[in-house]
Short mmCIF file of all heavy atoms in Angstrom, two decimals:
data_model
loop_
_atom_site.label_atom_id
_atom_site.label_comp_id
_atom_site.label_asym_id
_atom_site.label_seq_id
_atom_site.Cartn_x
_atom_site.Cartn_y
_atom_site.Cartn_z
N GLU A 17 50.76 -11.43 -53.14
CA GLU A 17 49.87 -10.90 -52.10
C GLU A 17 49.59 -9.42 -52.33
O GLU A 17 48.49 -8.94 -52.09
CB GLU A 17 50.51 -11.14 -50.73
CG GLU A 17 49.56 -11.03 -49.58
CD GLU A 17 48.31 -11.89 -49.69
OE1 GLU A 17 48.39 -13.07 -50.06
OE2 GLU A 17 47.22 -11.36 -49.40
N THR A 26 51.43 -14.82 -65.06
CA THR A 26 52.69 -15.32 -64.54
C THR A 26 53.87 -14.45 -64.94
O THR A 26 54.79 -14.22 -64.15
CB THR A 26 52.92 -16.77 -65.03
OG1 THR A 26 51.78 -17.55 -64.65
CG2 THR A 26 54.16 -17.39 -64.42
N PHE A 28 54.24 -11.29 -65.32
CA PHE A 28 54.44 -10.12 -64.46
C PHE A 28 55.35 -10.47 -63.28
O PHE A 28 56.31 -9.77 -62.98
CB PHE A 28 53.10 -9.58 -63.95
CG PHE A 28 53.24 -8.55 -62.86
CD1 PHE A 28 53.50 -7.23 -63.17
CD2 PHE A 28 53.12 -8.90 -61.51
CE1 PHE A 28 53.65 -6.27 -62.16
CE2 PHE A 28 53.26 -7.95 -60.50
CZ PHE A 28 53.53 -6.64 -60.83
N SER A 36 62.46 -16.41 -66.07
CA SER A 36 61.42 -16.66 -67.08
C SER A 36 60.17 -17.23 -66.41
O SER A 36 60.24 -17.79 -65.30
CB SER A 36 61.92 -17.66 -68.13
OG SER A 36 62.07 -18.95 -67.55
N LEU A 68 32.54 -12.19 -50.06
CA LEU A 68 31.13 -12.60 -50.18
C LEU A 68 30.50 -12.75 -48.80
O LEU A 68 29.33 -12.42 -48.60
CB LEU A 68 31.01 -13.92 -50.95
CG LEU A 68 31.19 -13.82 -52.45
CD1 LEU A 68 31.34 -15.20 -53.07
CD2 LEU A 68 30.01 -13.08 -53.11
N VAL A 69 31.28 -13.24 -47.86
CA VAL A 69 30.76 -13.47 -46.50
C VAL A 69 30.75 -12.20 -45.67
O VAL A 69 29.81 -11.93 -44.93
CB VAL A 69 31.60 -14.57 -45.80
CG1 VAL A 69 31.26 -14.68 -44.33
CG2 VAL A 69 31.39 -15.91 -46.48
N ILE A 81 36.56 -6.00 -58.88
CA ILE A 81 37.63 -5.85 -57.90
C ILE A 81 38.69 -6.94 -58.09
O ILE A 81 39.88 -6.69 -57.99
CB ILE A 81 37.06 -5.91 -56.45
CG1 ILE A 81 36.28 -4.63 -56.13
CG2 ILE A 81 38.17 -6.13 -55.42
CD1 ILE A 81 35.46 -4.69 -54.87
N MET A 87 30.85 -10.17 -64.93
CA MET A 87 30.31 -10.94 -63.83
C MET A 87 30.18 -12.41 -64.22
O MET A 87 30.42 -13.30 -63.41
CB MET A 87 28.93 -10.38 -63.43
CG MET A 87 28.42 -10.98 -62.14
SD MET A 87 26.90 -10.18 -61.61
CE MET A 87 25.75 -11.50 -61.91
N PHE A 105 26.84 -19.36 -52.68
CA PHE A 105 27.85 -19.39 -51.61
C PHE A 105 27.55 -18.32 -50.55
O PHE A 105 27.65 -18.58 -49.36
CB PHE A 105 29.26 -19.16 -52.20
CG PHE A 105 30.34 -19.19 -51.15
CD1 PHE A 105 30.91 -20.39 -50.76
CD2 PHE A 105 30.77 -18.02 -50.55
CE1 PHE A 105 31.90 -20.42 -49.78
CE2 PHE A 105 31.76 -18.04 -49.57
CZ PHE A 105 32.32 -19.25 -49.18
#
Side-chain angles (χ1 to χ4, degrees):
E17 198 53 45
T26 305
F28 169 82
S36 69
L68 284 168
V69 170
I81 288 168
M87 190 174 109
F105 181 86

